[in-house]
Amino acid sequence: MNIESSILEEIFKDISFTKEERHLISSKFEKIQLQKGDTLLQENDVVYNQYYVFSGCLRTFFIDNSDKEHTVQFAIKDWWISDYTAFFTTTKAAMTIECIQEAIVYRISKKDVEDLYLKIPTIETLFRKKMEKGYAALQKRILASLSQSAKERYTSFISAYPNIEQSVKNYHIASYLGITTESLSRIRKELTHN
Amino acid sequence: MNIESSILEEIFKDISFTKEERHLISSKFEKIQLQKGDTLLQENDVVYNQYYVFSGCLRTFFIDNSDKEHTVQFAIKDWWISDYTAFFTTTKAAMTIECIQEAIVYRISKKDVEDLYLKIPTIETLFRKKMEKGYAALQKRILASLSQSAKERYTSFISAYPNIEQSVKNYHIASYLGITTESLSRIRKELTHN
């Protein structure tokens, strides 16, 4: 068994498994400890795995043609992270994932998760629902970028990632919101004074 | 039976069903004929349904705070369409879907599709994979908007939606690409001359 049995409760929440199923699932996961600054996934790596975040904080970023860095996602406890576009098709990552606060993640490969879908269909349902939430969150973010002010996007960010601010550098948050760090400071000041 | 049995082959492709399953599935779908200009889904409607496009062309758009229209998606034969963010949570649509070329779509409700997931798990697998593709497409589009020139985005659009140009107005394509119609004409001329 590669991971502590109690972790399964955290990852799969409401699902109850038989003893054999617990063994099977545990054998598919690998525990990884990361230090601040470690790279979990590098742009151009072929993506075989996705990761459940047990503790700490990670950041996915993308570098555009003018070498500008864009923060695409943060992941904290109970989030899943990967370059999903590459993961689903087992192709090369367009993004990099780095650890920004000491973290423990549990890795599972595409092959293994698909094996679990076949053997334990409730897991496929869970992941189907997670995908739906992920899709909705991504679309909401696109619409927000079209219609919301930077201040509104900052407020949404704070409610989507509560308590994240102590783990994350200001320029990460600014690059996630698509604004400068100066604009971020101004927005924070405005919100404090209201 | 609400829809022709042969349609099931188109919608569910590689899956083979028993006669009882075919009956069950057919009973869940409703055929809808749309004329150009018809609205399939209106902003602020509660979203109970998703739609399989059998023929014609539809467009999803979003109106921002300054009343500017953004084309979020086109849907042609064999695509599914809805305001998925609202569909997954049975909440109000943020977007509007209009028919831009005479269309036939097949409607299925969230309740009915979830009933199918329970009774025919291969359908859940199909939709799980569709969601993965949808998520990947959405993320690719976000990264493209950050890193590609308008000309590259136009070329990607043409390969994602082959033969769509005859069905779609120039200002729809321009608003999908986030450029003016003048820029679109310029790009087309450049590509013709190369």
Side-chain angles (χ1 to χ4, degrees):
Chain A
M1 202 172 288
N2 294 320
I3 64 172
E4 303 83 342
S5 189
S6 65
I7 305 299
L8 296 188
E9 259 74 61
E10 295 207 25
I11 300 181
F12 297 101
K13 310 232 155 41
D14 303 333
I15 311 182
S16 50
F17 300 113
T18 64
K19 205 180 156 197
E20 290 68 31
E21 288 174 338
R22 298 181 73 84
H23 256 86
L24 175 70
I25 301 168
S26 299
S27 72
K28 306 286 195 190
F29 280 95
E30 195 79 44
K31 182 176 181 174
I32 300 174
Q33 285 188 292
L34 297 164
Q35 299 305 315
K36 188 173 168 175
D38 286 353
T39 299
L40 183 61
L41 185 76
Q42 180 75 47
E43 189 193 339
N44 286 323
D45 286 352
V46 176
V47 181
Y48 298 103
N49 299 293
Q50 63 179 332
Y51 308 87
Y52 173 82
V53 182
F54 177 69
S55 65
C57 185
L58 297 101
R59 177 177 83 101
T60 306
F61 64 89
F62 170 74
I63 297 168
D64 72 17
N65 293 348
S66 356
D67 279 337
K68 203 183 151 197
E69 210 181 276
H70 302 270
T71 299
V72 174
Q73 199 198 331
F74 294 103
I76 47 176
K77 185 169 181 58
D78 206 33
W79 287 57
W80 287 84
I81 196 165
S82 189
D83 180 330
Y84 276 105
T85 306
F87 174 74
F88 293 140
T89 50
T90 320
T91 51
K92 285 183 182 176
M95 301 184 283
T96 296
I97 302 175
E98 66 163 4
C99 173
I100 56 176
Q101 190 185 52
E102 196 179 330
I104 294 172
V105 303
Y106 290 95
R107 179 177 75 191
I108 186 165
S109 72
K110 183 173 152 71
K111 196 176 141 288
D112 281 337
V113 81
E114 288 184 346
D115 187 52
L116 290 182
Y117 291 162
L118 285 175
K119 290 177 181 150
I120 312 169
T122 45
I123 292 186
E124 180 161 36
T125 301
L126 181 81
F127 275 83
R128 196 251 309 153
K129 288 182 182 167
K130 274 187 184 305
M131 269 321 302
E132 292 179 353
K133 276 191 194 156
Y135 183 92
L138 210 53
Q139 184 145 76
K140 267 195 175 167
R141 222 184 133 199
I142 296 176
L143 300 188
S145 77
L146 294 172
S147 69
Q148 291 185 344
S149 69
K151 197 199 274 184
E152 288 167 322
R153 296 204 308 277
Y154 174 73
T155 312
S156 306
F157 166 76
I158 295 301
S159 68
Y161 296 96
N163 306 320
I164 205 179
E165 289 195 272
Q166 55 258 45
S167 326
V168 174
K169 291 209 172 64
N170 284 342
Y171 68 85
H172 291 158
I173 299 177
S175 93
Y176 178 87
L177 297 172
I179 59 177
T180 61
T181 47
E182 291 74 21
S183 300
L184 180 61
S185 305
R186 192 179 35 76
I187 288 168
R188 280 187 174 142
K189 253 183 227 151
E190 281 177 31
L191 289 170
T192 316
H193 292 163
N194 286 344
Chain B
M1 203 172 292
N2 293 322
I3 64 170
E4 303 84 342
S5 188
S6 65
I7 305 299
L8 296 190
E9 258 75 59
E10 295 208 25
I11 300 181
F12 296 101
K13 313 235 151 41
D14 303 332
I15 311 181
S16 50
F17 299 114
T18 64
K19 205 179 155 197
E20 290 67 34
E21 287 173 338
R22 298 181 72 83
H23 256 85
L24 175 70
I25 300 167
S26 299
S27 72
K28 306 286 195 190
F29 280 95
E30 194 79 45
K31 182 177 182 174
I32 301 174
Q33 286 189 291
L34 297 165
Q35 299 305 313
K36 188 175 166 172
D38 285 353
T39 299
L40 182 62
L41 184 75
Q42 179 75 49
E43 189 192 340
N44 285 324
D45 286 351
V46 176
V47 181
Y48 299 103
N49 298 294
Q50 64 179 331
Y51 308 87
Y52 173 82
V53 181
F54 176 71
S55 65
C57 186
L58 297 101
R59 179 177 81 102
T60 306
F61 63 90
F62 170 74
I63 297 169
D64 72 18
N65 293 350
S66 358
D67 279 337
K68 202 182 151 196
E69 211 181 274
H70 303 269
T71 299
V72 174
Q73 197 198 331
F74 295 102
I76 48 178
K77 183 169 181 61
D78 205 33
W79 288 56
W80 286 85
I81 197 166
S82 188
D83 179 330
Y84 277 104
T85 306
F87 175 74
F88 293 139
T89 50
T90 319
T91 50
K92 285 183 182 175
M95 301 184 283
T96 296
I97 302 174
E98 68 163 2
C99 173
I100 56 176
Q101 190 186 53
E102 196 178 330
I104 295 171
V105 302
Y106 291 94
R107 179 177 74 191
I108 186 165
S109 71
K110 182 173 153 73
K111 198 176 140 288
D112 281 337
V113 83
E114 288 184 343
D115 188 49
L116 291 182
Y117 292 161
L118 285 176
K119 289 176 182 151
I120 312 170
T122 45
I123 293 186
E124 180 161 35
T125 301
L126 180 81
F127 275 84
R128 194 251 309 152
K129 288 182 180 166
K130 276 189 183 303
M131 268 322 301
E132 292 179 352
K133 276 190 193 155
Y135 183 91
L138 210 53
Q139 184 147 74
K140 266 194 174 168
R141 219 181 137 206
I142 296 176
L143 299 188
S145 77
L146 294 173
S147 69
Q148 291 185 341
S149 68
K151 197 200 273 185
E152 288 167 322
R153 296 205 307 279
Y154 174 72
T155 312
S156 305
F157 166 75
I158 295 303
S159 68
Y161 296 95
N163 308 318
I164 205 178
E165 289 194 274
Q166 56 258 43
S167 326
V168 174
K169 290 208 172 64
N170 284 342
Y171 67 85
H172 292 158
I173 299 177
S175 92
Y176 178 86
L177 298 172
I179 58 178
T180 62
T181 48
E182 291 75 20
S183 302
L184 179 61
S185 307
R186 191 178 38 74
I187 288 168
R188 279 186 175 142
K189 252 183 226 150
E190 282 176 29
L191 288 171
T192 316
H193 292 164
N194 287 342

